[in-house]
Amino acid sequence: MAQPSTTYKFELNLTDLDRGVYESVKQTIARHPSETEERMAVRLLAYALWYNENLSFGRGLSDVDEPALWEKSLDDRVLHWIEVGQPDADRLTWCSRRTERTSLLAYGSLRVWETKVVGAVKNLKNLHIAAVPQEVLEVLAKDMPRSIKWDVMISEGTVFVTDDRGQHEVQLQWLLGERG
């Protein structure tokens, strides 16, 4: 019998000075049994980074035809497809053909992946790729509580996450494109 997903309560107080977005949002999110805490933390970072009122969590690991997050229009067109992790070039090409904008928040040991994949997809005009520093991700993801409260401030491209353990500076490295 398959293990059930674990539910988390996520409270985000967002101050995005770069885009002029100021929101307080509460979400219930599911963590797939095979999903690591790091991957879930990256999904939460992506949610804060590209937040808008139509952005929602996809089924991700449970359904390969859905992203980690996506923004849909009122007529159900996918406007922004957001992946996390280290997908291959074929997956990124497939995703970019289904939407106006595709973003990837990559994490983990990226040296080999970056050499192999980023060069292969650099001609995709609607693709933007950022890398999350592994050290800060490990701190954010460690022993994640079931009720997560993040105060996130984004200023000049730097993401500051404040939680129960203090403030964490996330300096994203843009490998392709920009946040937009």
Side-chain angles (χ1 to χ4, degrees):
M1 189 166 139
Q3 288 184 309
S5 294
T6 305
T7 57
Y8 287 78
K9 299 290 185 185
F10 178 53
E11 183 178 336
L12 171 66
N13 293 309
L14 177 64
T15 303
D16 187 339
L17 300 172
D18 295 347
R19 296 186 305 145
V21 175
Y22 309 93
E23 289 290 335
S24 290
V25 182
K26 291 182 180 182
Q27 286 274 346
T28 299
I29 60 170
R31 179 174 158 212
H32 191 275
S34 65
E35 182 176 32
T36 65
E37 286 184 322
E38 285 185 358
R39 185 179 189 282
M40 190 174 80
V42 173
R43 284 195 303 140
L44 299 178
L45 277 173
Y47 185 77
L49 195 61
W50 287 294
Y51 174 81
N52 75 51
E53 63 186 17
N54 296 321
L55 186 65
S56 61
F57 290 94
R59 285 181 269 184
L61 291 174
S62 318
D63 187 342
V64 295
D65 290 336
E66 285 192 18
L69 298 121
W70 54 5
E71 174 192 353
K72 288 185 168 183
S73 67
L74 295 176
D75 62 356
D76 213 34
R77 286 180 302 115
V78 179
L79 303 174
H80 192 183
W81 183 292
I82 303 169
E83 290 282 320
V84 298
Q86 297 180 22
D88 61 24
D90 290 342
R91 171 75 179 179
L92 290 172
T93 302
W94 183 87
C95 297
S96 73
R97 290 181 178 154
R98 282 156 178 72
T99 183
E100 294 177 17
R101 187 164 140 221
T102 304
S103 299
L104 168 63
L105 206 48
Y107 68 96
S109 179
L110 298 174
R111 190 173 45 87
V112 172
W113 174 85
E114 183 180 352
T115 303
K116 211 166 111 175
V117 175
V118 175
V121 297
K122 68 179 181 222
N123 292 328
L124 298 173
K125 300 297 181 210
N126 66 340
L127 177 62
H128 309 274
I129 302 173
V132 178
Q134 191 61 30
E135 312 77 47
V136 85
L137 177 58
E138 288 172 4
V139 173
L140 276 175
K142 185 176 167 80
D143 300 324
M144 197 166 274
R146 295 282 297 272
S147 289
I148 303 163
K149 184 178 185 304
W150 280 6
D151 294 317
V152 176
M153 184 179 77
I154 303 171
S155 178
E156 297 180 7
T158 302
V159 181
F160 299 93
V161 178
T162 304
D163 63 11
D164 293 341
R165 296 171 283 186
Q167 186 176 67
H168 317 280
E169 183 177 334
V170 183
Q171 185 65 54
L172 299 174
Q173 177 189 2
W174 287 93
L175 307 176
L176 188 64
E178 57 189 21
R179 183 171 132 191

